[in-house]
Amino acid sequence: MKAVLISIQPKWCELIASGKKTVEVRKSNPTLETPFKCYIYETKGKSETPTFVDEEGHIIYDCGGVVIGEFVCDWIDYVRNYGDVVDAYDVNASCLSAAEIINYAKDKNGKFVYTYGWHISELEIYDKPKELSEFKKGCNDMDDPMYGSYCEYCENKCYLKRPPQSWCYVEEI
Ligand SMILES: [Zn+2]
């Protein structure tokens, strides 16, 4: 099954983990039909908030760079952005201000571009984060018997080495 791995900054991860942020705004969306599984890669940062407690009870101050959890994206919709007015639902659910959304919904030349709100449901934050290297890219040739369980194009047998700029397809684990 194809799934998605999405890179999210620590401050937004905290808001997602606390349940306050239920919509993630992006300029693109996968071609997968909803619902689909989405893994949360927390980008490297300097979090000062304890992220989790390990088996021995040590508090871990996570600096990101790991997959902290997963959710089911049950729907994706356009962010309702009418010129300089943004729908209140999208502002509240994304924890972004209307100005931040308007500013984000622009290309290099300042022209309006559509943005998509990915709705977060069935959130699960792992007790122990997963490493990026545990995830395999969702390559199209992966199931080709000629190549076994990896394709001929990727180094590292399709396992992720670098996080995606925004998001990428991965195999569901
Ligand atoms: Zn591959």
Side-chain angles (χ1 to χ4, degrees), residues 12-69:
W12 304 120
C13 286
E14 277 178 37
L15 286 165
I16 289 170
S18 70
K20 289 190 191 121
K21 181 173 169 68
T22 54
V23 164
E24 179 65 24
V25 179
R26 296 288 156 138
K27 284 178 179 155
S28 60
N29 60 347
T31 54
L32 299 177
E33 277 192 33
T34 53
F36 59 87
K37 179 76 67 78
C38 205
Y39 299 97
I40 305 167
Y41 173 80
E42 183 176 336
T43 58
K44 290 205 171 109
K46 295 186 197 84
S47 173
E48 306 209 335
T49 315
T51 316
F52 69 100
V53 180
D54 72 10
E55 290 105 76
E56 279 107 46
H58 302 121
I59 297 169
I60 307 295
Y61 290 85
D62 182 24
C63 297
V66 287
V67 178
I68 60 158

Side-chain angles (χ1 to χ4, degrees), residues 136 139-152 157-158:
K136 261 187 161 175
C139 298
N140 284 329
D141 290 347
M142 196 91 91
D143 298 323
D144 188 325
M146 245 179 101
Y147 304 116
S149 58
Y150 53 94
C151 76
E152 67 175 325
K157 296 192 172 177
C158 301

